[in-house]
């Protein structure tokens, strides 16, 4: 849970009683939201037991609890069935607060950690058996101070933790084998029976459930990378935590010890290189991160931020080892780790006022938690469904360098990203790429932190990203925590700065060599010959000086007066896409069932034409334009460097996919019943059959029950890769001509690249109404504006798309939806018969003040239906 400790700011550090009271109330509100009062007939709308209550996640419940506290909202009394059974109303919170305040300045009285001789003074490390032995003695006397002191001493010392909970030497091989077996619980049962400890037996079923939630993923991970060998017995640590954390007095000892431990560990890693001397030092982080209460409010203020700072100091090999270890944990444990770091980030963000003068990038706690979250992110990737083998081959010929490079070097302005976009060091250390994962353990969306995205100053963050200094942290180095809207803004800054750089270099060339000044990528096209004119011009540029493709696009339609401030380019892209994807041209095939296009392996067009199509897609991203293209997801995966596989056929060729799937699942004799071979047949543009052997002599090799998997894999390989190899390589080459120096692949996943190119298909006009601004005398309460929105909301889907096309130049919503589109409706004179007009470059609609709603509808429909071309008003 995430409880917002609002009382710290409201009452100050000297109001201990009021702080404790406020903390108690916020906790009660939080548990009321997440657990309810226990009364199924509860009428309190802010209670989880209320029949109409809408469930919310932990972060939302924490924020809501703070609001309820500030508004002095109603609190339910615990139902008789809940009294005494929940920890939502702790009786010992005052004592816990006292213990916490003793170390609030990062210091601890060492006397609290030094037990007397009868309190196990000579015990310098812990084992599971020893913990239960001490716990048993404490339970008999009802005095837990000996155990508290032992925990305080051991858990505040890195040296003691390294030695604690180690696996027994004779069981090391058994432990490694148990990662691949499903009978781990049986071995643990025998171990606990031998020890004769009843307390251990009580928690065993729960521990088994937690460690077995992702056994199959763990097995796959071991097969791919080998087992991660650590000396700590993780299952034993989990059982100990499960037993001890239920006792509030003992939990305070863990908290106080962590506050004392973290600065020392950070110092050891920063100045003494302890991991290189003893790799078992990683046990400290393994053991601490198994504490399931790290996300509780007492930890969020001081203990967890300090520990995250220490974790961020781990060397790269240690981070990689930790990621590999956690990847074997399974989805439930990964989700717990994610929630721990996410709640710290959310708590810090909403309890501070970040701005351009107080950047979130400069908050050590948020930065350290984000760096720690990166370890979990890669563990999530490693533990998922990995495909590391099916990679597209690199282009045989490198993309030609610009002739301007020499001048840049002379001016001391060599391209920063000359060697290509950056790669995360941890990704390199692990030997994977994020897009190698077909399906992670938990969804990527769980790593996005929306409160952080809201306060992030992206212009400053992008600057830190480009400068790459250790003193300034950029969240763009951890793109998994950013949503698509924020990342798109970062990409926009990168593209614009690159445009300005090309413009400046062009100006320098004109001065030094006397060349004609041409700071833009100018395309002058005829509307009726847009493909011929545009592709010929782009082909010349790609051959002569590819760097010109990185200039700002400026389109001019011959015979039209429109000035391109963005709107003309939008229409240009739309016309090009309509022409290129016309099935009559034959460059792409169209599937009526999926409404998707695929490369035509029998196309008569040369490779240059497909290269130019790739350039057009790259230019659309580079110039922030949305295209109405319909490719299956496998195309975007291939652009990222991954080959298509059998599962991708479900999206691109669904009928074929189902047929091959039926073949794999067929229970009869495949050879006798189906009589198919390793030779397949395709048809060309004229319907003539073309035979292809999946294997040499394929027409003589029958498909059997034994080799059918091989047949399916080869069939998919042919359909998605080999048959369109020339066309796709040319297409990808053109795309990379524009985006090769862009952080596109670093920031975005394949599905996000589709969103960048195609925009959102969800048209939420209510969100558009909320975000629209007004000018020229109109406001949201104007009578005609109310009539206008009633009219637009009554339109059908096709009419709404025409309206968007008329007003913005595209019928698709931008990344983030229509709420991110800043449209302006301006007054264009009194009532008249003039049609509404628009400036698509700036998303401005000029609307006369029509006298009636009927006239408004008639004029608007006529304008959006017959709009084509540009003119000067």
């Amino acid at each position: 849970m995430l409880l917002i400790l609002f009382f710290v700011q409201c009452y100050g550090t000297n109001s201990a009683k009021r702080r404790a009271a406020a903390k108690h109330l916020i906790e009660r509100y939080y548990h009321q939201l997440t657990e309810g009062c226990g009364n199924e007939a509860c009428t309190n709308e802010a209670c989880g037991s209320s029949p109409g209550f809408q469930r919310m996640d932990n972060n939302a419940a924490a924020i809501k609890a703070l609001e309820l506290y500030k508004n002095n909202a109603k609190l339910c009394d615990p139902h008789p069935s809940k009294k005494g059974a929940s920890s939502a109303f702790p009786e010992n919170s005052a004592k816990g607060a006292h213990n916490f305040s003793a170390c609030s300045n990062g210091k601890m009285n060492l006397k609290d950690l030094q037990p007397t001789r009868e309190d196990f003074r000579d015990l310098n490390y812990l084992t599971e058996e020893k913990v239960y032995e001490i716990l048993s003695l404490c339970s008999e006397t009802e005095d837990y101070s000996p155990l508290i002191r032992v925990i305080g001493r051991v858990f505040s010392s890195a040296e003691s933790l390294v030695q604690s909970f180690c696996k027994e030497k004779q069981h090391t091989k058994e432990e490694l084998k148990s990662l691949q077996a499903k009978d781990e619980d049986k071995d643990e049962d025998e171990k606990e029976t031998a020890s004769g400890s009843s307390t251990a037996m009580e928690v065993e079923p729960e521990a088994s459930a937690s460690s077995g939630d992702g056994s199959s993923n763990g097995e796959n991970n071991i097969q791919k990378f080998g087992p991660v060998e650590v000396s700590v017995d993780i299952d034993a640590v989990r059982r100990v935590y499960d037993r001890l954390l239920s006792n509030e007095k003992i939990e305070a000892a863990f908290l106080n010890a962590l506050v004392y431990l973290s600065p020392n560990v950070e110092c050891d890693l920063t100045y003494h290189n302890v991991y290189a001397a003893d790799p078992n030092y990683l046990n400290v982080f393994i053991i601490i991160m198994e504490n399931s209460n790290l996300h509780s409010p007492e930890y969020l203020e001081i203990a967890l931020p300090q520990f995250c700072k220490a974790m961020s100091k781990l060397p790269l090999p240690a981070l990689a080892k930790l990621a590999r270890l956690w990847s074997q944990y399974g989805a439930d444990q990964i989700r717990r780790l994610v929630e721990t770091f996410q709640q710290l980030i959310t708590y810090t963000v909403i309890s501070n006022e970040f701005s351009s003068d107080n950047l979130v990038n400069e908050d050590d706690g948020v930065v350290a938690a984000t760096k720690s979250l990166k370890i979990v992110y890669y563990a999530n990737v490693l533990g998922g469904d990995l495909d590391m083998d099916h990679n597209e081959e690199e282009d045989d010929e490198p993309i030609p360098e610009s002739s301007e490079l020499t001048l840049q070097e002379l001016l001391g302005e060599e391209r920063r990203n000359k060697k290509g976009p950056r790669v995360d060091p941890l990704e390199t250390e692990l030997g994977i790429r994020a897009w190698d994962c077909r399906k992670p353990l938990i969804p990527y969306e769980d790593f996005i932190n929306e409160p952080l995205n809201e306060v992030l100053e992206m212009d400053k963050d992008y600057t830190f990203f480009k400068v790459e200094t250790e003193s300034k942290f950029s969240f763009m180095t951890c793109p998994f925590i950013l949503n698509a809207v924020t990342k798109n803004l970062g990409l926009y800054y990168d593209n614009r700065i690159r445009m300005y750089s090309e413009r400046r270099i062009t100006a320098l060339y004109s001065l030094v060599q006397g060349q004609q000044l041409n700071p833009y990528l100018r395309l002058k096209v005829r509307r009726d010959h847009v493909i011929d004119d545009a592709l010929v011009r782009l082909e010349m540029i790609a051959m002569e000086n590819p760097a010109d493709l990185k200039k700002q696009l400026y389109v001019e339609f011959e015979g039209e007066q429109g000035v391109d401030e963005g709107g003309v380019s939008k229409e240009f892209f739309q016309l090009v896409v309509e022409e290129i994807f016309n099935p009559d041209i034959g460059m792409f095939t169209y599937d009526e069932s999926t409404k998707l296009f695929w490369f035509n392996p029998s196309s008569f067009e040369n490779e240059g034409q497909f290269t130019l199509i790739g350039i057009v897609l790259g230019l659309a991203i580079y110039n922030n334009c949305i295209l109405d293209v319909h490719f299956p997801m496998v195309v975007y995966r291939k652009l990222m460097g991954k080959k298509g596989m059998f599962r991708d056929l479900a999206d691109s060729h669904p009928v074929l996919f189902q047929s091959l799937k039926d073949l794999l699942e067929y229970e009869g004799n495949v050879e006798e019943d189906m009589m198919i071979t390793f030779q397949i047949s395709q048809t060309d543009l004229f319907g003539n059959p073309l035979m292809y052997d999946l294997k040499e002599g394929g027409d003589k090799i029958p498909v059997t029950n034994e080799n059918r998997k091989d047949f399916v894999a080869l069939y998919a390989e042919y359909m998605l890769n080999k048959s369109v190899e020339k066309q796709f390589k040319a297409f990808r080459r053109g795309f990379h001509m524009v985006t090769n120096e862009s952080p596109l692949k670093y920031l975005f996943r394949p599905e996000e690249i589709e969103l960048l190119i195609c925009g959102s298909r969800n048209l939420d006009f209510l969100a558009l109404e909320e975000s629209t601004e007004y000018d020229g005398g109109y406001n949201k309460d104007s009578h005609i504006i109310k009539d206008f929105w009633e009219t637009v909301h009554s339109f059908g889907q096709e009419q709404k798309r025409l309206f968007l096309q008329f007003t913005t130049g595209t019928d698709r919503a931008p990344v983030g939806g229509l709420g991110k589109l800043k449209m302006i409706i301006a007054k264009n004179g009194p009532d008249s018969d003039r049609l509404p007009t628009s400036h698509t470059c700036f998303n401005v609609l000029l609307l006369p003040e029509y006298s009636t709603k009927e006239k408004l509808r008639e004029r608007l429909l006529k304008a959006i239906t017959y709009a084509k071309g540009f003119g000067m008003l």
Side-chain angles (χ1 to χ4, degrees):
M1 64 178 178
L2 171 62
L3 296 181
I4 311 305
L5 304 181
F6 184 72
F7 58 88
V8 175
Q9 298 174 339
C10 288
Y11 300 108
T13 57
N14 296 324
S15 305
K17 292 184 178 179
R18 287 194 291 175
R19 289 177 58 192
K23 172 179 179 291
H24 181 71
L25 282 174
I26 294 174
E27 287 179 341
R28 288 190 62 185
Y29 281 122
Y30 177 83
H31 285 284
Q32 178 176 290
L33 290 166
T34 57
E35 299 177 6
C37 66
N39 181 8
E40 296 181 357
C42 181
T43 58
N44 187 352
E45 295 180 355
C47 177
S49 297
S50 175
F53 183 77
Q54 297 291 326
R55 292 293 172 185
M56 57 185 72
D57 60 31
N58 290 341
N59 284 353
I63 298 171
K64 184 66 175 178
L66 178 57
E67 294 177 359
L68 294 174
Y69 167 76
K70 288 161 58 176
N71 297 330
N72 195 24
K74 176 185 176 182
L75 262 173
C76 297
D77 292 326
H79 197 261
S81 63
K82 294 275 287 185
K83 287 183 179 179
S86 173
S87 60
F89 309 99
E91 298 175 359
N92 300 316
S93 59
K95 293 181 181 180
H98 172 73
N99 291 335
F100 182 69
S101 64
C103 58
S104 60
N105 294 320
K107 300 177 181 179
M108 177 175 287
N109 188 346
L110 293 180
K111 293 181 180 179
D112 294 339
L113 300 177
Q114 298 297 329
T116 60
R117 184 170 298 276
E118 61 267 27
D119 290 343
F120 308 95
R121 171 177 294 188
D122 298 328
L123 189 61
N124 295 318
Y125 65 92
L126 287 173
T127 65
E128 183 180 13
E129 292 77 10
K130 183 58 67 175
V131 170
Y132 294 147
E133 177 186 335
I134 302 172
L135 182 61
S136 179
L137 293 173
C138 293
S139 299
E140 292 176 3
T141 61
E142 296 186 356
D143 178 12
Y144 292 93
S145 57
L147 180 58
I148 290 172
R149 288 174 179 146
V150 169
I151 289 173
R153 183 170 68 252
V154 173
F155 276 77
S156 63
S157 166
E159 183 180 356
S160 297
L161 274 180
V162 169
Q163 301 175 56
S164 296
F165 305 106
C166 289
K167 298 175 183 176
E168 297 180 13
K169 291 183 180 179
Q170 64 268 30
H171 293 303
T172 301
K173 292 182 179 179
E174 294 177 11
E175 292 290 344
L176 292 177
K177 290 179 180 178
S178 68
L179 290 171
Q180 302 179 15
K182 296 183 178 180
D183 59 349
E184 185 179 45
D185 296 339
K186 180 179 178 181
D187 295 335
E188 293 296 339
D189 285 337
E190 292 173 357
K191 179 181 176 182
E192 296 304 329
T193 301
S195 69
S197 172
S198 60
T199 54
M201 294 291 288
E202 293 174 6
V203 300
E204 180 140 9
E206 188 174 337
S208 300
S210 65
S211 62
D213 60 329
S215 58
S216 60
N217 286 321
E219 292 173 14
N220 294 335
N221 191 282
I222 291 170
Q223 292 172 3
K224 286 176 282 196
F225 301 104
V228 180
E229 296 186 25
V230 292
S231 59
V232 63
D233 187 342
I234 298 172
D235 287 328
V237 174
R238 290 176 181 172
R239 288 191 293 269
V240 168
Y241 272 127
D242 287 343
R243 181 62 179 168
L244 298 185
L245 289 178
S246 60
N247 188 310
E248 202 169 301
K249 298 176 183 178
I250 299 176
E251 181 186 3
F254 286 114
L255 171 64
N256 294 342
L258 184 58
V259 173
Y260 187 82
L261 170 74
S262 298
N264 296 329
V265 172
E266 182 181 359
C267 180
D268 286 345
L269 291 168
T270 304
Y271 301 109
H272 302 300
N273 199 18
V274 290
Y275 179 78
D278 182 13
N280 286 330
Y281 198 85
L282 195 63
N283 290 2
V284 173
F285 298 92
I286 297 172
I287 293 172
I288 295 299
M289 287 309 300
E290 289 301 325
N291 184 341
S292 59
N293 280 7
L294 286 178
H295 59 271
S296 63
E298 292 82 3
Y299 286 89
L300 294 178
E301 191 172 5
I302 294 178
L304 187 56
Q306 287 186 346
F307 186 70
C308 288
K309 288 172 64 178
M311 186 180 292
S312 67
K313 301 297 182 182
L314 281 168
L316 200 57
L319 296 175
K321 185 174 182 178
L322 200 54
R324 292 191 185 101
L325 175 68
W326 285 348
S327 72
Q328 297 173 180
Y329 278 12
D332 289 345
Q333 292 293 340
I334 290 292
R335 185 172 287 106
R336 177 183 64 81
L337 292 171
V338 169
E339 289 177 353
T340 297
F341 296 124
Q342 288 282 36
Q343 290 174 11
L344 172 58
I345 295 169
T346 302
Y347 162 70
T348 308
V349 167
I350 65 177
S351 58
N352 290 277
E353 295 184 2
F354 293 111
S355 63
S356 57
D357 298 322
N358 179 29
L359 296 175
V360 68
N361 306 67
E362 297 172 352
D363 188 285
D364 292 339
V366 173
V367 169
T370 303
K371 290 180 178 178
S372 301
L373 187 61
K374 180 189 285 189
I375 309 172
V376 189
Y377 173 76
Y378 281 108
N380 186 50
V381 169
L382 281 169
D385 184 3
L386 284 181
D387 167 30
M388 301 178 62
D389 302 323
H390 297 81
N391 299 316
E392 291 278 0
E393 296 179 3
E394 296 294 330
D395 294 327
D396 297 331
E397 300 178 11
I399 294 174
E401 290 284 350
S402 167
S403 59
E404 297 172 358
L405 186 60
T406 303
L407 180 61
Q408 286 179 291
E409 291 174 339
L410 290 173
L411 295 172
E413 297 186 358
E414 187 173 357
R415 295 179 189 273
R416 281 192 181 136
N417 290 329
K418 183 179 176 182
K419 296 181 181 180
R422 72 172 74 193
V423 178
D424 191 281
L426 182 54
E427 194 172 89
T428 303
E429 181 72 18
L430 290 168
I432 63 163
R433 298 173 298 181
W435 57 83
D436 286 334
C437 184
R438 298 299 302 248
K439 184 180 180 182
L441 287 175
I442 65 174
Y444 289 119
E445 289 74 19
D446 289 1
F447 288 85
I448 298 173
N449 190 289
E450 293 295 348
L452 173 66
N453 281 265
E454 291 174 5
V455 301
L456 184 61
E457 299 288 337
M458 203 57 199
D459 54 343
K460 303 284 198 314
D461 192 85
Y462 173 76
T463 303
F464 300 154
F465 178 72
K466 296 299 289 184
V467 172
E468 296 185 58
T469 60
E470 293 184 4
S471 59
K472 297 293 185 181
F473 175 79
S474 169
F475 288 95
M476 286 179 70
T477 60
C478 298
F480 54 84
I481 204 170
L482 305 177
N483 58 35
V485 175
T486 304
K487 288 190 284 190
N488 187 41
L489 186 57
L491 183 65
Y492 173 81
Y493 287 136
D494 186 82
N495 293 340
R496 288 293 160 179
I497 289 174
R498 205 173 300 278
M499 289 176 185
Y500 297 149
S501 175
E502 293 296 337
R503 193 179 303 173
R504 183 179 60 173
I505 294 298
T506 301
L508 288 172
Y509 251 92
S510 67
L511 292 174
V512 175
Q513 298 184 353
Q515 293 182 354
Q516 181 181 359
L517 183 62
N518 187 18
Y520 298 100
L521 172 59
R522 288 184 175 272
L523 295 179
K524 187 172 183 178
V525 296
R526 295 166 293 173
R527 186 175 288 274
D528 295 334
H529 298 82
V530 63
I531 294 294
D532 295 336
D533 295 348
L535 297 190
V536 168
R537 174 66 178 147
L538 289 174
E539 186 174 17
M540 291 176 59
I541 294 171
M543 292 173 59
E544 295 174 1
N545 194 4
D548 282 356
L549 295 173
K550 297 181 175 65
K551 294 178 180 179
Q552 184 175 350
L553 180 64
Y554 188 95
V555 177
E556 179 182 350
F557 283 105
E558 193 173 284
E560 299 183 20
Q561 298 172 306
V563 177
D564 190 6
E565 292 290 343
V568 181
S569 295
K570 291 178 185 177
E571 178 154 354
F572 162 75
F573 281 119
Q574 181 188 3
L575 293 175
V576 168
V577 167
E578 287 178 357
E579 290 282 344
I580 286 176
F581 289 95
N582 186 336
D584 295 337
I585 293 180
M587 295 183 71
F588 296 90
T589 59
Y590 182 69
D591 191 314
E592 289 288 349
S593 62
T594 62
K595 310 296 183 184
L596 298 175
F597 288 93
W598 184 247
F599 298 88
N600 187 350
S602 305
S603 174
F604 292 135
E605 303 294 336
N606 58 40
E607 294 178 26
Q609 297 293 88
F610 286 95
T611 299
L612 296 175
I613 297 170
I615 291 175
V616 168
L617 253 68
L619 286 175
I621 292 179
Y622 194 59
N623 290 272
N624 204 32
C625 290
I626 295 172
L627 301 182
D628 185 21
V629 299
H630 305 274
F631 280 132
M633 184 56 63
V634 64
V635 170
Y636 303 102
R637 285 186 54 79
K638 286 168 71 69
L639 282 176
M640 300 289 272
K642 302 301 297 184
K643 285 186 175 182
M645 300 172 61
F646 167 61
R647 70 181 71 181
D648 295 310
L649 289 173
D651 190 22
S652 61
H653 301 77
V655 176
L656 175 61
F657 173 80
Q658 189 59 49
S659 298
L660 294 177
K661 186 170 179 286
D662 292 341
L663 172 64
L664 290 174
E665 296 172 352
Y666 186 68
E667 297 180 356
N669 189 310
V670 172
E671 182 178 2
E672 294 181 0
D673 297 346
M674 297 191 178
M675 294 186 293
I676 54 178
T677 67
F678 275 76
Q679 185 180 74
I680 60 175
S681 173
Q682 300 291 307
T683 56
D684 61 15
L685 286 174
F686 304 104
N688 300 318
L690 299 174
M691 310 306 292
Y692 178 80
D693 288 346
L694 298 177
K695 286 184 176 182
E696 187 175 351
D699 59 326
K700 299 176 182 178
I701 304 175
V703 177
T704 66
N705 292 60
E706 290 73 26
N707 65 15
R708 57 182 169 182
K709 287 185 179 180
D710 192 22
F711 172 79
V712 168
L714 290 173
Y715 205 145
E717 167 71 12
Y718 173 76
M719 292 299 297
L720 298 177
N721 303 310
K722 287 187 177 180
S723 67
V724 295
E725 184 175 8
K726 291 192 299 183
Q727 293 88 338
F728 183 80
K729 270 192 173 182
F731 171 77
R732 186 182 63 186
R733 180 176 172 78
F735 184 78
H736 286 168
M737 278 186 181
V738 185
T739 63
N740 64 317
E741 295 180 354
S742 166
L744 184 72
K745 291 176 69 173
Y746 182 84
L747 294 175
F748 296 91
R749 303 190 305 275
E751 56 269 25
E752 292 176 321
I753 291 182
E754 181 189 29
L755 187 63
L756 279 181
I757 295 175
C758 305
S760 174
R761 299 179 184 181
N762 180 27
L763 302 182
D764 185 357
F765 273 76
L766 291 175
L768 178 62
E769 182 179 358
E770 287 293 322
S771 64
T772 297
E773 299 176 359
Y774 305 94
D775 196 12
Y778 286 156
N779 59 60
K780 65 178 182 179
D781 296 320
S782 299
H783 181 70
I784 188 172
I785 295 300
K786 292 181 178 180
D787 287 345
F788 170 82
W789 285 115
E790 287 178 7
T791 300
V792 170
H793 290 315
S794 69
F795 283 170
Q797 198 69 13
E798 185 59 32
Q799 290 174 324
K800 287 181 177 179
R801 290 191 179 279
L802 288 174
F803 170 77
L804 275 182
Q805 179 70 45
F806 174 76
T807 310
T808 68
T810 177
D811 63 354
R812 308 296 285 268
V815 178
L818 288 179
K820 299 297 180 181
L821 182 67
K822 299 302 179 185
M823 189 175 77
I824 299 174
I825 301 178
K827 186 175 181 179
N828 192 24
D831 180 32
S832 69
D833 290 333
R834 296 181 63 187
L835 295 172
T837 53
S838 65
H839 296 300
T840 56
C841 305
F842 309 105
N843 302 329
V844 175
L845 175 66
L846 302 177
L847 187 68
E849 192 171 11
Y850 297 115
S851 56
T852 65
K853 184 177 179 180
E854 290 72 21
K855 186 175 183 179
L856 167 65
R857 181 182 180 89
E858 184 270 331
R859 296 278 87 187
L860 184 59
L861 279 174
K862 191 168 187 178
I864 65 177
T865 304
Y866 299 102
K868 189 173 185 180
F870 292 88
M872 299 296 290
L873 297 177

